[in-house]
Amino acid sequence: MRFYDEKHNLKLVLTPHSILFISAEENYVNIHYLENDKVRNYVLRSSMRAIEELCLENGLVRCHRSFFINPPHIKVLRKDQEGVVYAELDAPDLRHVPVSKRYYESLSNLL
């Protein structure tokens, strides 16, 4: 997958399987991926809308309005005490990725 910034400059090239999830923060996206079995993070000046087609073409799915996730890396979908669903990933030392009600059914059908 080739990630370009908002000025269409190539910033990062990854294999789709190495990506764990992508999260949004204001005008940036955080790409969390595996490199030599270590979790890395790359901050790209872009929007979720700008990378949505690229993500969908490469097997990542939307699980929340601010997150794309790579289904092969999901260990389990779990509900917390407040009823919020989170995806636990197979990589160590990662926060759980939220799954909104809107995307829960389509994501759970992929697992």
Side-chain angles (χ1 to χ4, degrees):
M1 293 177 65
R2 296 177 183 278
F3 291 94
Y4 296 87
D5 66 8
E6 60 185 9
K7 295 178 182 177
H8 302 289
N9 296 319
L10 181 63
K11 293 295 184 177
L12 182 67
V13 178
L14 296 170
T15 62
H17 183 71
S18 67
I19 297 173
L20 299 166
F21 69 95
I22 298 174
S23 60
E25 267 184 53
E26 296 180 16
N27 295 329
Y28 297 89
V29 292
N30 295 303
I31 303 165
H32 301 267
Y33 61 98
L34 290 173
E35 182 178 72
N36 298 325
D37 294 327
K38 290 191 176 189
V39 177
R40 304 278 188 218
N41 180 40
Y42 186 84
V43 179
L44 177 70
R45 186 164 175 91
S46 187
S47 67
M48 294 295 267
R49 183 173 300 239
I51 65 166
E52 183 169 19
E53 187 175 326
L54 176 68
C55 290
L56 296 176
E57 289 171 353
N58 287 281
L60 278 73
V61 295
R62 198 81 178 245
C63 65
H64 186 277
R65 66 179 216 147
S66 299
F67 289 86
F68 283 103
I69 196 165
N70 198 347
H73 290 290
I74 298 173
K75 281 195 320 191
V76 66
L77 296 177
R78 191 179 311 270
K79 239 182 222 185
D80 69 5
Q81 295 169 345
E82 289 86 39
V84 179
V85 178
Y86 290 94
E88 292 181 18
L89 302 175
D90 60 4
D93 303 327
L94 269 182
R95 65 180 184 172
H96 302 311
V97 177
V99 178
S100 67
K101 292 176 185 175
R102 178 178 177 185
Y103 298 104
Y104 174 78
E105 187 175 335
S106 62
L107 182 61
S108 65
N109 288 337
L110 292 174
L111 303 178

